Amino acid sequence: MEITPIEGGVCAAKGFSAGGVHCGIRKNTSKLDLALIYSETPCAAAAVYTRNKVCGAPITVTRAHLANGQARAVICNSGNANTCNADGVQKAQLMCAALARGLHIEETDIAVASTGVIGQPLPIDPILSNIDPLIRSCRKDGEGSRMAGTAIMTTDTHEKEASAAFSLNGKECHIGGIAKGSGMIEPNMATMLCFITTDAAISPEMLQKALSADVQTTFNMVSIDGDTSTNDTLVLLANGAAGNAPVEAEGEAFETFCAALHEVTTCLCRMIAKDGEGATKLLTCTVRGADGQETARKIAKSVIKSTLFKCAVFGCDANWGRILCAIGYTEAEFEIGKVAVWLSSKGGRVQVCRNGAGLDFSEDEALLVLQEDEVTVEVDMGSGEETATAWGCDLSYDYVKINGDYRT
Amino acid sequence: MEITPIEGGVCAAKGFSAGGVHCGIRKNTSKLDLALIYSETPCAAAAVYTRNKVCGAPITVTRAHLANGQARAVICNSGNANTCNADGVQKAQLMCAALARGLHIEETDIAVASTGVIGQPLPIDPILSNIDPLIRSCRKDGEGSRMAGTAIMTTDTHEKEASAAFSLNGKECHIGGIAKGSGMIEPNMATMLCFITTDAAISPEMLQKALSADVQTTFNMVSIDGDTSTNDTLVLLANGAAGNAPVEAEGEAFETFCAALHEVTTCLCRMIAKDGEGATKLLTCTVRGADGQETARKIAKSVIKSTLFKCAVFGCDANWGRILCAIGYTEAEFEIGKVAVWLSSKGGRVQVCRNGAGLDFSEDEALLVLQEDEVTVEVDMGSGEETATAWGCDLSYDYVKINGDYRT
């Protein structure tokens, strides 16, 4: 199977358009704050949501609307999470109702999402009065994807999109998405917000199956700060415009679709990690030689979450003892005496630990590795065949600055 | 029962002396880096250690020496953790052997501990050649406690000690300790390092029972950065010099001893949290009205560990949505719709949330609360009678600075 990266983001798939406007939730009038993604025809829909018990009102509404595995549009505002508000669900429903009227579709075919401050009433008037301009802003090209991708950003420093082409039974298909991350990122089921579209024909059941499996090794392996958001939502829409024989069971076509989905989600995860609040570096941990998949994942995530190691990476300090420490407190069974660790990047590759004990490595070589903006910690557990990868970022002064006065 | 705070720290109990010297592990010659605590007579000994699988070499040795429930002395260096080194156990044994010769006691009656950088060979000569000066430095008064308390510090900004007097069967008893914390603090069984002495007579079994129970609500409820250290050790020595009828079973005397121990450990925990690396504020979370003790503890700890809320506290921003978020992602069963939250300090008390939703509180009043150097988050779960308290600190620029170049 061949998966080819292409341009177009969430508009890469045929029959989808996207747009964004500044409606006024954010004070900065140059910052888009309301996004729309729309399919000309009905879509199979799949989604995953946060497992936080404090759950955004939009998630309650989206979950109900997508229960039948069908949807056609996604509306999303930034600047306010519409969470922990008494009238949150009602306002999320108002957003869907207004958009349904404008698009002449059913309310229940709309997914709704919000991101921003928790616990402040959502200003609904700016949204309702901007539904028509929002619909008019929609375009079928990459510019549409960029508008929507920009409108869902909070403290993200840039828009995040990825897309790929692949083939199902001789038909060319496309898949692409936009995402936002930044802070409060420790997805548990999904990331903060991610919307993916495809023109592949696939049943709602197989779409959900592909998505639920994929997030275990992609979005659930990202952590910026260990804070699982209240509003994590990932919606995947498939409109079948590619004309392939519908994927309705496991098999070669399903595997190809999963591979294409994985290409896009992995790409978005790396972007989210690298653009973590205040981040200066993408921090990747790959674990191999583990005797269980769960153990491999836990260790990879433990390393990229260690506050102390994240600070060391920010300071380009090869303090590998903190890596061993983070491996050691992982709740999993393994023999620490078999562990080997390398630091690698475009700047080189340095082994810092063998058999659970330190090596006399060159600090100069390690510095060359750590000065790059994408640094990988390779861990070999020496105990089996399982592998896992997790993505995070360093911890910088700017993370503290951004979050010391986020509301003010 | 009456528990009275007194002076004296780890030397408050009769028959104990303590001291410290600069032996040369640290470059700064004005910083003591080798500590000794010594009892004139044999002691019952209890201890708890880190659960990190990467475990400091001194812990291996101390665990073996204390297996018989007896000890008389503690030796501890700072500046090097003697962890992840091939010859670590051998060097920890050399420290004990040299001290045993100097004190004319058995090697197996000595607890040994190290704290500092992980994975760099421990310079053993500076320690071995300073055993005699170390023994000569010992004093029976508060100055001895301060020397030892200073010698075990790493990035701590000040020495930490606490002590109390109490009465067992008409005999006046004393208990006191020293501790160090700062970074890599998420104790799981104990804190980084804490040494407590008492002149109460109590059997090794009851001493261990008291200690193991106490750490569940004290040291295990402290978190600075979520990184469980490799070297956490808490040693408790009881020499019986108070002359009370030995505590050998549960009952009133045991309860009094536990209360006195709790007074000292709580005090040390608050000091460790308040002096977390880069901290400007002590952050306490009290949970009440929970339907289970475990739930109460998990929620309290989740709140004080939230990176985002820690930044908000640093910035004096009453961003209570982050408290709700942290409660929400706690792995425990509870109804979020019953939760109420207050912020309190010497500056006042402001309710920010009721029934899981925000209140229209005064930002000015909240600012007065948050500007104090000790801030409490009160959470009422509205579901039961269980309570718990956890201690942490805010997250500041200085935490990043300290840990960006710890080794260099």
Side-chain angles (χ1 to χ4, degrees), chain A residues 52-54 84 119 184 225 227-228 306-308 311-312 314-315 317-320 322 324-325 328-330 332 336 357-358 363 395-397 399-401 403-404 406-407, chain B residues 52-54 84 118-119 184 225 227-228 306-308 311-312 314-315 317-320 322 324-325 328-330 332 336 357-358 363 395 397 399-401 403-404 406-407:
Chain A
N52 194 314
K53 287 188 187 64
V54 179
C84 296
M184 205 177 270
D225 51 15
D227 278 284
T228 300
S306 162
T307 308
L308 283 166
C311 288
F314 172 63
D317 180 5
N319 198 329
W320 64 271
R322 292 176 180 170
L324 260 280
C325 178
Y329 60 64
T330 306
I336 195 75
E363 293 279 350
L395 176 59
S396 73
Y397 299 125
Y399 179 89
V400 179
K401 184 173 183 181
N403 288 300
Y406 179 67
R407 297 186 316 155
Chain B
N52 194 315
K53 287 187 187 64
V54 179
C84 296
I118 298 171
M184 204 175 272
D225 49 18
D227 279 284
T228 300
S306 162
T307 308
L308 283 166
C311 288
F314 172 64
D317 179 6
N319 198 329
W320 64 272
R322 292 177 180 170
L324 261 280
C325 178
Y329 61 64
T330 306
I336 195 75
E363 294 278 351
L395 177 58
Y397 300 124
Y399 179 88
V400 179
K401 185 173 183 182
N403 288 300
Y406 180 67
R407 296 188 315 155

Coordinates of all heavy atoms in Angstrom, one line a residue, chain A residues 52-54 84 119 184 225 227-228 306-308 311-312 314-315 317-320 322 324-325 328-330 332 336 357-358 363 395-397 399-401 403-404 406-407, chain B residues 52-54 84 118-119 184 225 227-228 306-308 311-312 314-315 317-320 322 324-325 328-330 332 336 357-358 363 395 397 399-401 403-404 406-407:
Chain A
N52 N -12.1 12.8 30.9 CA -12.2 13.7 32.1 C -13.7 13.7 32.5 O -14.6 13.9 31.7 CB -11.7 15.1 31.7 CG -11.5 15.9 33.0 OD1 -12.3 16.0 33.9 ND2 -10.4 16.6 33.0
K53 N -13.9 13.5 33.8 CA -15.3 13.5 34.3 C -15.9 14.9 34.2 O -17.2 15.0 34.1 CB -15.4 13.1 35.8 CG -15.1 11.6 35.9 CD -15.4 11.2 37.3 CE -15.0 9.7 37.5 NZ -13.5 9.5 37.3
V54 N -15.1 15.9 34.2 CA -15.6 17.3 33.9 C -15.5 17.4 32.4 O -14.4 17.5 31.9 CB -14.7 18.4 34.6 CG1 -15.3 19.7 34.2 CG2 -14.8 18.2 36.1
C84 N -18.4 23.7 32.4 CA -18.7 24.1 33.8 C -19.6 25.3 33.8 O -19.5 26.2 34.7 CB -17.4 24.4 34.6 SG -16.4 23.0 34.9
G119 N -15.3 27.6 32.4 CA -16.0 28.2 33.5 C -16.4 29.6 33.4 O -16.8 30.3 34.3
M184 N -2.8 22.0 28.5 CA -3.8 21.1 29.0 C -3.9 19.9 28.0 O -4.9 19.5 27.6 CB -5.2 21.8 29.1 CG -6.1 21.1 30.1 SD -7.7 21.9 30.4 CE -7.3 23.1 31.7
D225 N 1.7 18.6 29.3 CA 1.8 18.9 30.7 C 1.0 18.0 31.6 O 0.9 18.3 32.8 CB 1.3 20.4 30.9 CG -0.1 20.6 30.3 OD1 -0.8 19.6 29.9 OD2 -0.4 21.8 30.1
D227 N -2.0 17.5 32.0 CA -3.4 17.9 32.3 C -4.4 17.4 31.2 O -4.4 18.0 30.1 CB -3.5 19.4 32.5 CG -3.0 19.8 33.9 OD1 -3.8 19.6 34.8 OD2 -1.9 20.3 34.0
T228 N -5.2 16.4 31.5 CA -6.2 16.0 30.5 C -7.3 17.0 30.4 O -8.0 17.2 31.4 CB -6.7 14.6 30.9 OG1 -5.7 13.7 31.0 CG2 -7.8 14.1 29.9
S306 N 8.3 13.5 32.2 CA 9.1 13.8 33.3 C 9.4 15.3 33.3 O 10.1 15.8 32.5 CB 10.4 13.1 33.4 OG 11.3 13.7 34.2
T307 N 8.9 16.0 34.3 CA 9.1 17.5 34.4 C 10.6 17.8 34.5 O 11.1 18.7 33.8 CB 8.4 18.0 35.6 OG1 7.0 17.6 35.6 CG2 8.4 19.5 35.7
L308 N 11.3 17.0 35.2 CA 12.7 17.3 35.4 C 13.5 17.1 34.1 O 14.3 17.8 33.7 CB 13.3 16.3 36.5 CG 13.0 16.8 37.9 CD1 13.3 15.6 38.9 CD2 13.8 18.0 38.3
C311 N 12.9 19.9 31.6 CA 13.7 21.0 31.9 C 15.1 20.8 31.4 O 15.7 21.7 30.9 CB 13.7 21.3 33.4 SG 12.1 22.0 34.0
A312 N 15.6 19.6 31.6 CA 17.0 19.3 31.2 C 17.1 19.5 29.7 O 18.1 20.0 29.2 CB 17.4 17.9 31.6
F314 N 15.3 21.4 27.8 CA 15.3 22.8 27.5 C 16.7 23.4 27.7 O 17.1 24.2 26.9 CB 14.3 23.5 28.5 CG 14.3 25.0 28.4 CD1 13.9 25.7 27.3 CD2 14.6 25.7 29.5 CE1 13.9 27.1 27.2 CE2 14.6 27.1 29.5 CZ 14.3 27.8 28.3
G315 N 17.4 23.0 28.7 CA 18.7 23.5 29.0 C 19.8 22.7 28.3 O 21.0 23.0 28.5
D317 N 20.9 19.8 28.6 CA 21.7 19.1 29.6 C 21.4 17.6 29.5 O 20.3 17.2 29.7 CB 21.3 19.7 31.0 CG 22.1 19.0 32.1 OD1 23.0 18.2 31.8 OD2 21.8 19.3 33.3
A318 N 22.5 16.9 29.2 CA 22.3 15.4 29.0 C 22.2 14.7 30.3 O 22.9 13.7 30.6 CB 23.5 14.9 28.2
N319 N 21.2 15.1 31.1 CA 21.0 14.5 32.4 C 20.2 13.2 32.3 O 19.1 13.1 32.7 CB 20.3 15.6 33.3 CG 20.4 15.3 34.8 OD1 20.5 14.1 35.2 ND2 20.4 16.3 35.6
W320 N 20.9 12.2 31.8 CA 20.2 10.9 31.5 C 19.7 10.2 32.8 O 18.9 9.4 32.7 CB 21.2 10.0 30.7 CG 22.4 9.6 31.6 CD1 23.5 10.3 31.6 CD2 22.5 8.5 32.5 NE1 24.4 9.7 32.5 CE2 23.7 8.6 33.1 CE3 21.6 7.5 32.8 CZ2 24.2 7.7 34.0 CZ3 22.1 6.6 33.8 CH2 23.3 6.7 34.4
R322 N 17.8 11.3 34.9 CA 16.4 11.6 35.0 C 15.6 10.7 34.1 O 14.4 10.5 34.4 CB 16.2 13.1 34.7 CG 16.7 14.0 35.7 CD 16.6 15.5 35.4 NE 17.1 16.3 36.4 CZ 17.3 17.6 36.3 NH1 17.0 18.3 35.2 NH2 17.8 18.3 37.3
L324 N 16.4 7.5 33.4 CA 16.4 6.3 34.2 C 15.4 6.4 35.3 O 14.6 5.4 35.6 CB 17.8 6.0 34.7 CG 18.6 4.9 34.0 CD1 18.2 3.5 34.3 CD2 18.5 5.2 32.5
C325 N 15.4 7.5 36.0 CA 14.5 7.7 37.1 C 13.0 7.6 36.6 O 12.2 6.9 37.2 CB 14.7 9.1 37.7 SG 13.6 9.5 39.1
G328 N 12.1 4.2 35.9 CA 12.0 3.4 37.1 C 10.7 3.6 37.8 O 10.3 2.7 38.5
Y329 N 10.1 4.8 37.8 CA 8.8 4.9 38.5 C 7.6 4.6 37.6 O 6.5 4.8 38.1 CB 8.7 6.3 39.2 CG 8.8 7.5 38.4 CD1 7.8 7.8 37.4 CD2 9.8 8.5 38.6 CE1 7.8 9.0 36.7 CE2 9.8 9.7 37.8 CZ 8.8 9.9 36.9 OH 8.9 11.1 36.2
T330 N 7.8 4.1 36.4 CA 6.7 3.6 35.6 C 6.0 2.4 36.3 O 6.7 1.5 36.7 CB 7.2 3.2 34.2 OG1 8.0 4.3 33.7 CG2 6.0 2.9 33.3
A332 N 4.9 -0.6 35.8 CA 5.0 -1.7 34.9 C 6.1 -2.7 35.4 O 7.0 -2.2 36.2 CB 5.3 -1.3 33.5
I336 N 15.2 -3.4 35.2 CA 16.0 -2.2 35.0 C 17.4 -2.5 34.6 O 18.0 -1.7 33.8 CB 15.9 -1.2 36.2 CG1 16.3 0.2 35.8 CG2 16.7 -1.7 37.4 CD1 15.3 0.9 35.0
A357 N 23.1 1.1 33.9 CA 24.1 2.0 34.5 C 24.7 2.9 33.5 O 24.7 2.7 32.3 CB 25.2 1.1 35.1
G358 N 25.3 4.0 33.9 CA 25.8 5.1 33.1 C 27.0 4.7 32.3 O 27.8 3.9 32.7
E363 N 30.3 14.6 26.6 CA 29.3 15.7 26.8 C 29.2 16.6 25.6 O 28.1 17.1 25.3 CB 29.7 16.5 28.1 CG 29.7 15.8 29.4 CD 28.2 15.7 29.9 OE1 27.3 16.3 29.4 OE2 28.0 14.9 30.9
L395 N 10.2 21.8 28.8 CA 9.5 22.7 29.7 C 10.3 24.0 29.8 O 11.4 23.9 30.3 CB 9.3 22.1 31.0 CG 8.6 22.9 32.1 CD1 7.2 23.4 31.7 CD2 8.5 22.2 33.4
S396 N 9.7 25.1 29.4 CA 10.5 26.4 29.3 C 9.9 27.4 30.2 O 8.8 27.3 30.7 CB 10.5 26.9 27.8 OG 9.2 27.4 27.5
Y397 N 10.6 28.5 30.3 CA 10.1 29.7 31.0 C 8.8 30.1 30.5 O 7.9 30.5 31.2 CB 11.1 30.9 30.9 CG 12.4 30.6 31.5 CD1 13.6 30.8 30.7 CD2 12.6 30.2 32.8 CE1 14.8 30.6 31.3 CE2 13.9 30.0 33.3 CZ 15.0 30.2 32.6 OH 16.2 29.9 33.1
Y399 N 6.3 28.4 29.2 CA 5.2 27.7 29.6 C 4.6 28.3 30.9 O 3.4 28.5 31.0 CB 5.5 26.2 29.9 CG 4.3 25.4 30.4 CD1 3.5 24.8 29.5 CD2 4.0 25.3 31.7 CE1 2.3 24.1 29.9 CE2 2.9 24.6 32.2 CZ 2.1 24.0 31.3 OH 1.0 23.3 31.7
V400 N 5.5 28.6 31.8 CA 5.1 29.3 33.1 C 4.5 30.6 32.8 O 3.4 31.0 33.4 CB 6.3 29.4 34.0 CG1 5.9 30.0 35.3 CG2 6.9 28.0 34.3
K401 N 5.1 31.4 31.9 CA 4.6 32.7 31.6 C 3.2 32.7 31.0 O 2.3 33.4 31.4 CB 5.6 33.4 30.7 CG 5.2 34.9 30.4 CD 6.3 35.5 29.5 CE 5.9 37.0 29.3 NZ 6.9 37.7 28.5
N403 N 1.0 30.4 31.3 CA -0.1 29.9 32.1 C -0.2 30.6 33.5 O -1.1 30.3 34.3 CB 0.2 28.4 32.4 CG -0.2 27.6 31.1 OD1 -1.3 27.7 30.6 ND2 0.8 26.9 30.5
G404 N 0.7 31.5 33.7 CA 0.6 32.3 35.0 C -0.5 33.3 34.8 O -1.0 33.8 35.8
Y406 N -3.1 33.3 32.0 CA -3.8 32.9 30.8 C -5.1 33.7 30.7 O -5.5 34.1 29.6 CB -4.1 31.4 30.9 CG -4.9 30.8 29.8 CD1 -4.3 30.7 28.5 CD2 -6.2 30.3 29.9 CE1 -5.0 30.2 27.4 CE2 -6.9 29.8 28.9 CZ -6.3 29.7 27.6 OH -7.0 29.1 26.6
R407 N -5.8 33.9 31.8 CA -7.1 34.5 31.7 C -7.1 36.0 31.5 O -8.0 36.7 31.1 CB -8.0 34.2 32.9 CG -8.3 32.8 33.1 CD -9.3 32.6 34.3 NE -8.9 33.5 35.4 CZ -9.7 33.9 36.3 NH1 -11.0 33.7 36.2 NH2 -9.2 34.7 37.2
Chain B
N52 N 10.5 3.5 43.4 CA 11.1 3.6 42.1 C 12.0 2.3 41.8 O 12.7 1.9 42.7 CB 12.0 4.8 42.0 CG 12.4 5.1 40.5 OD1 12.7 4.3 39.7 ND2 12.2 6.4 40.2
K53 N 11.8 1.7 40.6 CA 12.6 0.5 40.3 C 14.1 0.8 40.2 O 14.9 -0.1 40.4 CB 12.0 -0.2 39.1 CG 10.7 -0.9 39.3 CD 10.3 -1.7 38.1 CE 8.9 -2.2 38.2 NZ 7.9 -1.1 38.3
V54 N 14.4 2.0 39.8 CA 15.7 2.5 39.8 C 16.0 3.0 41.2 O 15.5 4.0 41.6 CB 16.0 3.6 38.8 CG1 17.5 4.0 38.8 CG2 15.7 3.1 37.4
C84 N 22.7 4.3 40.0 CA 23.0 3.9 38.6 C 24.5 3.9 38.4 O 25.0 4.2 37.3 CB 22.4 4.9 37.6 SG 20.6 4.8 37.6
I118 N 22.2 11.8 39.8 CA 22.1 10.4 39.5 C 23.2 10.0 38.4 O 23.3 10.8 37.4 CB 20.7 10.0 39.0 CG1 19.7 10.3 40.1 CG2 20.7 8.5 38.6 CD1 18.3 10.2 39.5
G119 N 23.8 8.9 38.6 CA 24.6 8.3 37.5 C 26.0 8.9 37.3 O 26.6 8.7 36.3
M184 N 12.4 16.6 42.2 CA 12.3 15.1 42.1 C 11.5 14.6 43.3 O 11.8 13.7 43.9 CB 13.6 14.4 42.0 CG 13.5 13.0 41.3 SD 15.0 12.2 41.0 CE 15.5 12.8 39.4
D225 N 6.9 17.9 41.7 CA 7.0 17.9 40.3 C 6.6 16.5 39.7 O 6.7 16.3 38.5 CB 8.4 18.2 39.8 CG 9.5 17.5 40.5 OD1 9.1 16.4 41.1 OD2 10.6 17.9 40.5
D227 N 7.9 13.7 39.9 CA 9.0 12.8 39.7 C 9.4 12.1 40.9 O 10.0 12.7 41.8 CB 10.2 13.6 39.1 CG 10.1 13.8 37.6 OD1 10.3 12.9 36.8 OD2 9.8 15.0 37.2
T228 N 9.1 10.8 41.0 CA 9.4 10.0 42.2 C 10.9 9.7 42.2 O 11.4 9.0 41.2 CB 8.6 8.7 42.2 OG1 7.2 9.0 42.3 CG2 9.0 7.8 43.4
S306 N -1.5 19.6 39.4 CA -1.8 20.1 38.1 C -0.8 21.2 37.7 O -0.8 22.3 38.3 CB -3.2 20.7 38.1 OG -3.4 21.6 37.0
T307 N -0.1 20.9 36.6 CA 0.9 21.9 36.2 C 0.3 23.2 35.8 O 0.8 24.3 36.2 CB 1.6 21.3 34.9 OG1 2.1 20.0 35.2 CG2 2.8 22.2 34.5
L308 N -0.9 23.2 35.2 CA -1.6 24.4 34.8 C -2.0 25.2 36.0 O -1.9 26.4 36.0 CB -2.8 24.0 33.9 CG -2.4 23.7 32.5 CD1 -3.6 23.0 31.8 CD2 -2.0 24.9 31.7
C311 N 0.9 26.9 37.7 CA 1.3 28.1 37.1 C 0.3 29.3 37.4 O 0.7 30.4 37.6 CB 1.3 27.9 35.6 SG 2.7 26.9 35.0
A312 N -1.0 29.0 37.5 CA -2.0 30.0 37.8 C -1.8 30.5 39.2 O -1.9 31.7 39.4 CB -3.4 29.4 37.7
F314 N 1.1 30.6 40.8 CA 2.3 31.5 40.6 C 1.9 32.9 40.2 O 2.4 33.9 40.7 CB 3.3 30.8 39.7 CG 4.5 31.7 39.4 CD1 5.4 32.1 40.3 CD2 4.7 32.1 38.0 CE1 6.5 32.9 40.0 CE2 5.8 32.9 37.7 CZ 6.7 33.3 38.7
G315 N 1.0 32.9 39.2 CA 0.5 34.2 38.6 C -0.6 34.8 39.4 O -1.2 35.8 38.9
D317 N -3.6 34.0 39.6 CA -4.8 34.0 38.8 C -5.8 32.9 39.3 O -5.5 31.7 39.4 CB -4.3 33.6 37.3 CG -5.5 33.6 36.3 OD1 -6.6 33.9 36.7 OD2 -5.2 33.2 35.2
A318 N -7.0 33.4 39.6 CA -8.0 32.5 40.2 C -8.7 31.6 39.1 O -9.9 31.6 39.0 CB -9.1 33.3 41.0
N319 N -7.9 30.9 38.4 CA -8.3 30.1 37.3 C -8.9 28.8 37.8 O -8.3 27.7 37.6 CB -7.2 29.9 36.3 CG -7.7 29.5 34.9 OD1 -8.7 28.8 34.8 ND2 -7.0 29.9 33.9
W320 N -10.1 28.9 38.5 CA -10.6 27.7 39.2 C -11.0 26.6 38.2 O -11.1 25.4 38.6 CB -11.8 28.1 40.0 CG -12.9 28.6 39.2 CD1 -13.1 29.9 38.8 CD2 -13.9 27.9 38.6 NE1 -14.2 30.0 38.0 CE2 -14.7 28.8 37.8 CE3 -14.3 26.5 38.6 CZ2 -15.8 28.4 37.1 CZ3 -15.4 26.1 37.9 CH2 -16.2 27.0 37.1
R322 N -9.3 25.2 36.1 CA -8.2 24.2 36.1 C -8.3 23.3 37.3 O -7.8 22.2 37.3 CB -6.8 24.9 36.1 CG -6.6 25.7 34.8 CD -5.3 26.4 34.8 NE -5.1 27.1 33.5 CZ -4.2 28.0 33.3 NH1 -3.3 28.3 34.2 NH2 -4.1 28.5 32.1
L324 N -11.2 22.3 38.7 CA -12.3 21.4 38.3 C -11.7 20.4 37.3 O -12.0 19.2 37.4 CB -13.4 22.2 37.7 CG -14.6 22.5 38.6 CD1 -15.5 21.2 38.7 CD2 -14.2 22.9 39.9
C325 N -10.9 20.8 36.4 CA -10.3 20.0 35.4 C -9.5 18.9 36.0 O -9.6 17.7 35.7 CB -9.5 20.8 34.4 SG -8.7 19.8 33.1
G328 N -11.5 16.5 37.7 CA -12.2 15.6 36.7 C -11.4 14.5 36.2 O -12.0 13.4 35.9
Y329 N -10.1 14.7 36.0 CA -9.3 13.6 35.4 C -8.7 12.7 36.5 O -8.0 11.8 36.1 CB -8.3 14.1 34.4 CG -7.2 15.1 34.9 CD1 -6.2 14.7 35.9 CD2 -7.1 16.3 34.4 CE1 -5.2 15.5 36.3 CE2 -6.1 17.2 34.8 CZ -5.2 16.8 35.7 OH -4.2 17.7 36.1
T330 N -9.1 12.9 37.7 CA -8.7 11.9 38.8 C -9.3 10.6 38.5 O -10.5 10.5 38.2 CB -9.1 12.4 40.2 OG1 -8.7 13.8 40.4 CG2 -8.6 11.5 41.3
A332 N -11.0 8.1 39.9 CA -11.8 7.7 41.0 C -13.2 7.9 40.6 O -13.5 8.7 39.7 CB -11.4 8.5 42.2
I336 N -19.3 14.8 39.8 CA -18.8 16.1 39.7 C -19.8 17.2 40.0 O -19.5 18.3 40.4 CB -18.1 16.3 38.3 CG1 -17.2 17.5 38.3 CG2 -19.2 16.3 37.2 CD1 -15.9 17.3 39.0
A357 N -20.3 23.9 39.0 CA -20.4 25.0 38.1 C -19.8 26.2 38.8 O -19.8 26.4 40.0 CB -21.8 25.2 37.6
G358 N -19.4 27.2 38.0 CA -18.7 28.4 38.5 C -19.7 29.4 39.2 O -20.9 29.4 38.9
E363 N -13.2 39.0 41.7 CA -11.8 38.7 41.3 C -10.8 39.5 42.3 O -9.7 39.0 42.6 CB -11.5 39.2 39.9 CG -12.2 38.4 38.8 CD -11.4 37.1 38.5 OE1 -10.3 36.9 38.9 OE2 -12.0 36.2 37.8
L395 N 4.4 26.6 40.3 CA 5.4 26.4 39.3 C 5.9 27.7 38.8 O 5.1 28.4 38.2 CB 4.9 25.5 38.2 CG 5.8 25.2 37.0 CD1 7.1 24.5 37.5 CD2 5.1 24.3 36.0
Y397 N 9.2 30.4 37.1 CA 10.4 30.4 36.2 C 11.6 29.7 36.8 O 12.3 29.1 36.1 CB 10.7 31.9 35.8 CG 9.6 32.7 35.2 CD1 9.2 33.9 35.8 CD2 9.0 32.2 34.0 CE1 8.2 34.6 35.2 CE2 8.0 32.9 33.4 CZ 7.6 34.1 34.0 OH 6.6 34.8 33.4
Y399 N 11.9 27.2 38.7 CA 11.9 25.7 38.7 C 12.6 25.4 37.3 O 13.5 24.5 37.3 CB 10.5 25.1 38.7 CG 10.6 23.6 38.6 CD1 10.7 22.8 39.7 CD2 10.5 23.0 37.4 CE1 10.8 21.4 39.6 CE2 10.6 21.6 37.2 CZ 10.7 20.8 38.4 OH 10.8 19.5 38.3
V400 N 12.2 26.0 36.3 CA 12.8 25.7 35.0 C 14.2 26.1 34.9 O 15.1 25.3 34.5 CB 12.0 26.5 33.8 CG1 12.6 26.2 32.5 CG2 10.5 26.1 33.9
K401 N 14.6 27.2 35.5 CA 16.0 27.6 35.5 C 16.9 26.6 36.3 O 17.9 26.2 35.8 CB 16.1 29.0 36.2 CG 17.5 29.6 36.1 CD 17.4 31.1 36.6 CE 18.8 31.7 36.5 NZ 18.9 33.0 37.0
N403 N 16.4 23.5 36.9 CA 16.5 22.2 36.4 C 16.9 22.2 34.9 O 17.1 21.1 34.3 CB 15.1 21.5 36.5 CG 14.9 21.1 38.0 OD1 15.7 20.4 38.5 ND2 13.9 21.7 38.6
G404 N 17.1 23.4 34.3 CA 17.6 23.4 33.0 C 19.1 23.2 32.9 O 19.7 22.7 32.0
Y406 N 21.0 21.8 36.0 CA 21.3 21.3 37.3 C 22.7 20.8 37.5 O 23.4 21.0 38.4 CB 20.3 20.2 37.7 CG 20.4 19.6 39.0 CD1 20.1 20.3 40.2 CD2 20.8 18.2 39.2 CE1 20.3 19.7 41.4 CE2 20.9 17.6 40.4 CZ 20.6 18.4 41.5 OH 20.7 17.8 42.8
R407 N 23.1 20.1 36.4 CA 24.4 19.4 36.5 C 25.6 20.3 36.3 O 26.7 20.0 36.7 CB 24.6 18.2 35.5 CG 23.6 17.1 35.8 CD 23.9 16.0 34.8 NE 24.2 16.5 33.5 CZ 25.0 15.9 32.6 NH1 25.5 14.7 32.9 NH2 25.2 16.4 31.4

